[in-house]
Amino acid sequence: MVRDLGSSPSADGTGGFDRYCREDTASLIGFLIKLGADPEEARDAFQTTMIEVYSRWDNIESPRAYARTTAERVFLKSRARAADESDRLAKGGWGVDRTPNLPLDMVIFKEQAAELIELMRQLPPTQRRVLAWHLDGFSNKEIAERFGEKPSTVASNLRHANSAMRKLWIERKQRAAATGRRAADERSGA
Amino acid sequence: MSGQERNFDVWLRGANADIIESLEQAVEASEFEAWRTEANDSLTESLEQVIDTEAVLLMIKQQAASEAVAVAHANGNNEPERAIRSVLAPETTHDIEEARRQPSRRAPAPQYDVDLTGQPCPVQSETDSPAANDIAVVPSFRAGSRSTWHRRIPAVAASAMTAISVAVVAVLVVLALAGGDQVGAFGRAVTVAAVVMVIGSLAARTWASVVEWKLRPTLVRLARDEHSRRLVVTARGPWAVQFKTYHWLHRRSIAPRPITNLLLMWEPGRPRMNVGAVLDQVCAEHARSAGTDGSSGSAEREPPQPDDRVLPDHDQDDGPLLARAGGQATKVDSSIRKKRQDTSFRARGKRTQAKRRRP
């Protein structure tokens, strides 16, 4: 049963949704960005997801997991649609109207966050997906339940993701250190 | 150093290097874990800084409501408020009906206005909280939120006329049967008039029902237009056909303005436009824009609405709509018909685009 939108939130329990929405909005958008969405895609997928969560609030047992599963699906669908968008634009000349509802275009990520996003985008999709769920606080068992896989598979994917990312991170750190040393040498030489 | 000792020394060095490497890796791993957690928190923090969760919450609820309205309308329900309530929560319908019966318990209806684009916007007061607005999910225009008794006048009048006519006919028939000479010429005239009234009234009602029944599927489809949907489906009574006809004409580029603009001229208490007047206006404007009356007129035409580009069109079903709507089809000249054909050809392309864009 979909809850009546016209009744009082405090009386009918949509207060729970309000609370959830307040707590999980940034995290859910961050999850989508970690999956590889750009802020605009993340915003669109987030809106669609939250509308679905809101309309099924009473039937959802674990909203965070449900929202992430839905958001992931919506994002992947929109990606697939966007893949042939250029073709459609060339044929029909119709653009996609996107209204800026969330000010995500103004997001300026801190250095660490930007680095995390960049490193995660270099991972293969499966590993990225598992790592995104893991970073949002889900255990291997929960992730396995959601994906319909064995916990050992999830653990393996996560281990590979961690190791690949750590490797990238170390390389990056070493590159940064080398750059710093070179700059220091140049300064001392000058 | 014997060979055995040398081998042991090599193994020892190797083992020592492994231990050091493992320790370094462990340190790096913990450092990496810390960095990863910190970066993840930083990402969420960056997003939290730019997102107004209250506004997001309100927007989500409004969009959810809007989608629910669309679903209800797509199911062919022309009474949005009741439809939404029945779709969303049948168990609350009883409470609503009860509240209607007891006006003292009724909560004040949210006031909505129509902005320049025709979209309903809440009339905000300084004390309005977001929570108060998000309850007002069923868009109801200011005009619609007032008493709607005047909308029932035609139906009530028709019923009363029918009842009176039937009564008169019955009395006269009884009198005629009782004593034919007493009725006289005047009585016969009254009887004929009453019979004509009854037949006319029944015919009018039947015609209206048939028109509505025939038009309903088309109008439901027309109502999918995002901008005009609410206006078209909330139109009732004698104005419904006018709005719908006008909307239909606009979709074929015959009427230059969207119905949202037309609605701004429509307020309760003002004399209503009739179908003939609307069509005359439309034809005149079209003639002006086509340059048949000497002026170019094309500069007055508004640019096409964005929703018109993507929504499916339904030419095959809508053809006889104009004639059915008001019998004014003869006023649409051949140039308009030609234009309509062109539009329908173009609309085929639009349909294809709309299908592709649909998820």
Side-chain angles (χ1 to χ4, degrees):
Chain A
M1 172 72 58
V2 182
R3 185 160 288 284
D4 182 10
L5 301 173
S7 53
S8 157
S10 58
D12 65 11
T14 50
F17 173 79
D18 295 2
R19 202 166 44 248
Y20 162 72
C21 187
R22 285 186 192 106
E23 283 168 8
D24 202 32
T25 295
S27 174
L28 184 57
I29 293 173
F31 171 79
L32 286 160
I33 289 173
K34 279 179 272 181
L35 278 182
D38 62 35
E40 204 173 352
E41 286 173 324
R43 181 195 67 201
D44 291 346
F46 166 78
Q47 284 175 12
T48 312
T49 303
M50 289 309 258
I51 289 168
E52 192 169 331
V53 170
Y54 181 53
S55 61
R56 299 177 181 206
W57 182 248
D58 280 353
N59 298 331
I60 299 173
E61 283 181 10
S62 52
R64 287 186 77 241
Y66 182 89
R68 272 153 188 77
T69 312
T70 310
E72 202 180 307
R73 178 170 48 79
V74 171
F75 162 59
L76 291 175
K77 265 191 185 175
S78 76
R79 257 297 156 86
R81 267 205 310 278
D84 68 336
E85 189 170 301
S86 55
D87 182 39
R88 283 185 285 129
L89 283 170
K91 278 183 184 170
W94 313 119
V96 179
D97 295 326
R98 282 178 171 171
T99 47
N101 292 324
L102 296 177
L104 287 182
D105 302 335
M106 290 153 43
V107 181
I108 300 168
F109 293 115
K110 289 176 187 169
E111 195 184 346
Q112 278 179 327
E115 208 173 353
L116 177 72
I117 294 166
E118 200 185 321
L119 291 184
M120 282 193 75
R121 283 182 185 182
Q122 292 179 44
L123 296 177
T126 318
Q127 293 176 15
R128 195 191 312 160
R129 187 183 177 207
V130 173
L131 188 58
W133 279 80
H134 177 73
L135 286 175
D136 273 19
F138 290 90
S139 68
N140 289 356
K141 199 181 162 192
E142 286 170 323
I143 300 171
E145 274 172 18
R146 281 279 150 188
F147 291 4
E149 287 173 359
K150 288 179 189 168
S152 58
T153 313
V154 172
S156 164
N157 277 324
L158 188 59
R159 200 170 50 245
H160 283 116
N162 263 328
S163 110
M165 202 165 147
R166 197 170 67 205
K167 208 170 158 187
L168 291 168
W169 179 71
I170 290 168
E171 276 173 16
R172 203 183 168 87
K173 220 168 89 170
Q174 283 169 352
R175 240 191 344 261
T179 314
R181 268 201 306 276
R182 211 176 304 132
D185 289 347
E186 279 171 10
R187 268 202 304 276
S188 62
Chain B
M1 192 181 284
S2 68
Q4 211 172 9
E5 282 176 342
R6 206 179 301 123
N7 282 347
F8 174 73
D9 191 47
V10 169
W11 171 83
L12 189 63
R13 280 171 196 279
N16 192 36
D18 282 350
I19 289 168
I20 290 167
E21 198 183 338
S22 302
L23 283 171
E24 275 176 0
Q25 275 188 0
V27 170
E28 269 176 2
S30 64
E31 204 182 331
F32 169 72
E33 286 289 329
W35 169 83
R36 205 183 57 179
T37 314
E38 210 174 313
N40 194 38
D41 293 344
S42 155
L43 174 66
T44 312
E45 201 182 309
S46 305
L47 289 166
E48 272 169 358
Q49 278 173 2
V50 294
I51 294 169
D52 179 0
T53 45
E54 294 304 322
V56 168
L57 189 58
L58 180 61
M59 179 192 69
I60 287 163
K61 288 186 176 181
Q62 282 175 343
Q63 283 193 3
S66 157
E67 285 187 11
V69 172
V71 168
H73 289 161
N75 290 337
N77 202 327
N78 282 340
E79 296 186 23
E81 296 199 17
R82 190 171 296 177
I84 289 306
R85 295 198 183 279
S86 65
V87 165
L88 294 177
E91 76 270 12
T92 61
T93 313
H94 173 72
D95 298 339
I96 293 159
E97 293 298 329
E98 204 166 330
R100 276 189 187 150
R101 278 198 292 274
Q102 299 174 9
S104 57
R105 285 178 55 192
R106 193 189 304 164
Q111 288 291 300
Y112 269 76
D113 206 342
V114 183
D115 65 16
L116 286 176
T117 62
Q119 294 294 313
C121 57
V123 179
Q124 296 266 2
S125 73
E126 286 182 4
T127 55
D128 272 350
S129 66
N133 282 330
D134 66 28
I135 294 169
V137 292
V138 180
S140 90
F141 298 100
R142 186 179 278 174
S145 62
R146 290 180 188 169
S147 167
T148 55
W149 62 270
H150 58 276
R151 290 181 180 175
R152 288 196 290 273
I153 287 178
V156 171
S159 302
M161 200 167 71
T162 309
I164 292 166
S165 305
V166 168
V168 169
V169 169
V171 168
L172 290 170
V173 167
V174 167
L175 282 174
L177 288 174
D181 296 340
Q182 292 173 11
V183 178
F186 176 72
R188 275 194 293 276
V190 170
T191 309
V192 169
V195 168
V196 167
M197 277 171 70
V198 170
I199 292 169
S201 168
L202 290 174
R205 283 167 152 270
T206 311
W207 178 80
S209 305
V210 168
V211 165
E212 196 183 346
W213 174 66
K214 286 268 188 190
L215 294 187
R216 186 176 290 252
T218 307
L219 297 174
V220 167
R221 282 199 300 275
L222 282 176
R224 287 182 188 149
D225 183 323
E226 185 61 38
H227 279 281
S228 304
R229 182 175 57 215
R230 290 171 187 153
L231 307 179
V232 173
V233 296
T234 50
R236 289 195 192 89
W239 317 289
V241 173
Q242 294 161 27
F243 280 133
K244 285 157 190 170
T245 309
Y246 194 91
H247 180 63
W248 182 86
L249 293 167
H250 172 64
R251 292 295 302 275
R252 271 144 197 83
S253 307
I254 298 168
R257 294 195 198 93
I259 197 165
T260 46
N261 290 10
L262 193 72
L263 192 83
L264 295 176
M265 302 187 286
W266 175 72
E267 282 174 12
R270 278 195 193 181
R272 315 291 174 199
M273 286 177 294
N274 57 37
V275 177
V278 171
L279 288 173
D280 285 344
Q281 186 189 343
V282 168
C283 290
E285 283 181 354
H286 176 73
R288 267 204 303 282
S289 65
T292 52
D293 59 351
S295 63
S296 69
S298 56
E300 292 173 17
R301 288 177 69 85
E302 292 181 0
Q305 299 296 308
D307 51 299
D308 280 349
R309 295 178 307 173
V310 294
L311 285 160
D313 230 326
H314 306 280
D315 305 291
Q316 66 276 19
D317 301 331
D318 297 349
L321 172 66
L322 191 62
R324 280 195 228 117
Q328 299 285 336
T330 50
K331 294 201 174 190
V332 183
D333 59 17
S334 60
S335 64
I336 297 179
R337 275 196 210 103
K338 193 174 176 185
K339 172 94 177 168
R340 195 187 310 161
Q341 281 166 6
D342 291 344
T343 312
S344 68
F345 180 71
R346 206 171 58 213
R348 211 175 302 154
K350 289 181 194 172
R351 271 200 300 279
T352 314
Q353 293 298 327
K355 272 182 195 165
R356 287 188 178 186
R357 286 192 56 183
R358 227 173 270 152

